[in-house]
Amino acid sequence: MNQKNFEYLKDQVKYSGFGESLENDLKANLQKQAPEFTLQHQATFGKDQVNSELHFKRSTQSDLYFLNSYEAELKKENQKEALKQTFYVNKQGGNITLKEAYNLMDGRAVNKDLTNKEGQVYNAWLQMDFKQTENNGNFKVKQFHQKYGFELEKALEKHPIKELGVEFDKRRLVESIQKGNRQAVTFEKDGVEKKHFIQAAPQFKSITVYDENMKRVSNRQQKSETQQQTAGQDQSVKKDDQKQAASQQNEASENSPSKGKKASHSKGMSVS
């Protein structure tokens, strides 16, 4: 057995999201020197279960083995049929981790740095198209490149998300959504906080919002809430402007050397 090859594969399996539980089986199969072998893995995400089969193959030119692909099968709690998809591994990177695979199979979008045939790195949002399949049986994966125009941070800023106010929390939120997670956030409106869940919707250049009961909030409802929030902010700013202007006018009048001079005041900017 090639020890360096084992260490490399062990780390690759671990950082692909399969943990360390396959380490002993991996070593045992490498010692057998078979041309190829598979390893089984099982994981749960909430009430969903993902069974994976990892495919390893030995090079025809050396004793090195490579993880070429893994097949994931998603079983959801209230669905009879399981969903299957094969994810391929390449040396250039940009590989889909187990959690990202689950998120894609559950209908969410994942942001990845990918490499094209010319070796150039590019960034894109990936999302499975469950209405179309490839020749190998895989569902097609749609890509939304940077030129498509979806900007996650700008889409987030259209909503009263409390976590955006702290840079550390904002960065963690962005990174979580980029991995395809449906992330819990706090909507803050008129001093009242509500728990919501959000996920990226790159195809529509927006984010999808769910309430605390995981019921999707319609676009019309989102727009209404955003308008109410903006109107509330404008009204609050107007009141502050009026108070500030009155205060400045009174102060100027009291300190004016002549009653005939008009006091000047500045008008604050409206925030929207």
Side-chain angles (χ1 to χ4, degrees):
M1 182 187 75
N2 187 315
Q3 184 63 31
K4 288 185 177 180
N5 187 213
F6 166 66
E7 296 293 337
Y8 172 81
L9 291 174
K10 181 185 69 173
D11 287 343
Q12 187 179 33
V13 168
K14 176 181 178 180
Y15 294 113
S16 293
F18 298 98
E20 301 175 347
S21 62
L22 300 179
E23 185 176 328
N24 291 335
D25 288 340
L26 174 62
K27 179 181 287 187
N29 278 277
L30 289 175
Q31 290 173 338
K32 291 178 182 178
Q33 298 289 300
E36 55 186 283
F37 63 90
T38 61
L39 296 180
Q40 309 296 321
H41 183 272
Q42 188 178 94
T44 55
F45 299 96
K47 296 181 180 180
D48 299 336
Q49 180 176 308
V50 178
N51 297 322
S52 302
E53 186 174 82
L54 289 71
H55 297 269
F56 297 83
K57 192 172 184 178
R58 187 174 64 189
S59 170
T60 57
Q61 300 175 346
S62 68
D63 64 344
L64 298 179
Y65 284 81
F66 297 93
L67 171 60
N68 292 326
S69 64
Y70 66 91
E71 183 182 272
E73 180 185 69
L74 171 61
K75 292 182 178 180
K76 294 188 70 65
E77 185 181 22
N78 297 318
Q79 293 182 6
K80 294 181 179 180
E81 294 185 11
L83 186 72
K84 292 183 179 181
Q85 183 84 351
T86 298
F87 296 91
Y88 295 94
V89 178
N90 60 74
K91 298 178 182 178
Q92 288 76 24
N95 296 310
I96 302 296
T97 67
L98 177 61
K99 181 62 184 300
E100 290 171 340
Y102 163 69
N103 286 334
L104 285 170
M105 296 173 75
D106 204 30
R108 291 181 290 281
V110 172
N111 183 266
K112 299 291 290 186
D113 286 327
L114 306 172
T115 305
N116 62 21
K117 294 179 180 179
E118 290 73 34
Q120 299 173 322
V121 178
Y122 67 96
N123 183 268
W125 285 89
L126 309 178
Q127 192 159 21
M128 289 173 62
D129 185 347
F130 298 107
K131 295 181 180 179
Q132 299 188 65
T133 56
E134 304 281 5
N135 293 332
N136 61 2
N138 261 5
F139 290 104
K140 287 189 175 182
V141 177
K142 297 179 289 187
Q143 292 191 11
F144 303 97
H145 297 212
Q146 289 174 309
K147 291 183 180 179
Y148 184 76
F150 172 57
E151 296 183 58
L152 177 58
E153 291 193 24
K154 286 188 177 181
L156 290 171
E157 289 169 357
K158 293 180 180 179
H159 301 269
I161 301 172
K162 182 179 180 181
E163 287 77 7
L164 297 179
V166 179
E167 188 59 34
F168 178 75
D169 293 339
K170 177 182 177 181
R171 181 49 44 196
R172 288 182 61 188
L173 173 61
V174 169
E175 290 175 353
S176 178
I177 294 177
Q178 286 176 331
K179 292 177 182 177
N181 295 325
R182 180 178 292 167
Q183 184 64 40
V185 294
T186 305
F187 275 31
E188 191 173 38
K189 177 185 168 186
D190 298 332
V192 179
E193 296 183 356
K194 285 186 178 181
K195 184 178 181 180
H196 283 68
F197 295 88
I198 59 174
Q199 65 188 55
Q203 182 174 355
F204 304 105
K205 301 177 184 178
S206 63
I207 61 172
T208 304
V209 181
Y210 298 85
D211 64 19
E212 58 184 354
N213 299 313
M214 297 304 293
K215 183 178 180 181
R216 183 170 175 174
V217 179
S218 68
N219 291 333
R220 182 179 296 180
Q221 186 177 345
Q222 291 180 45
K223 187 175 181 180
S224 175
E225 290 180 354
T226 302
Q227 289 175 339
Q228 288 176 12
Q229 183 212 13
T230 302
Q233 289 177 337
D234 288 342
Q235 190 66 28
S236 176
V237 170
K238 283 182 180 179
K239 288 182 179 179
D240 289 341
D241 288 344
Q242 291 171 355
K243 289 180 181 179
Q244 183 179 3
S247 176
Q248 290 177 342
Q249 186 172 5
N250 291 336
E251 183 178 352
S253 178
E254 291 175 0
N255 297 330
S256 175
S258 171
K259 290 183 181 181
K261 289 186 178 181
K262 294 183 179 179
S264 63
H265 62 275
S266 61
K267 184 177 182 181
M269 294 182 64
S270 175
V271 179
S272 60

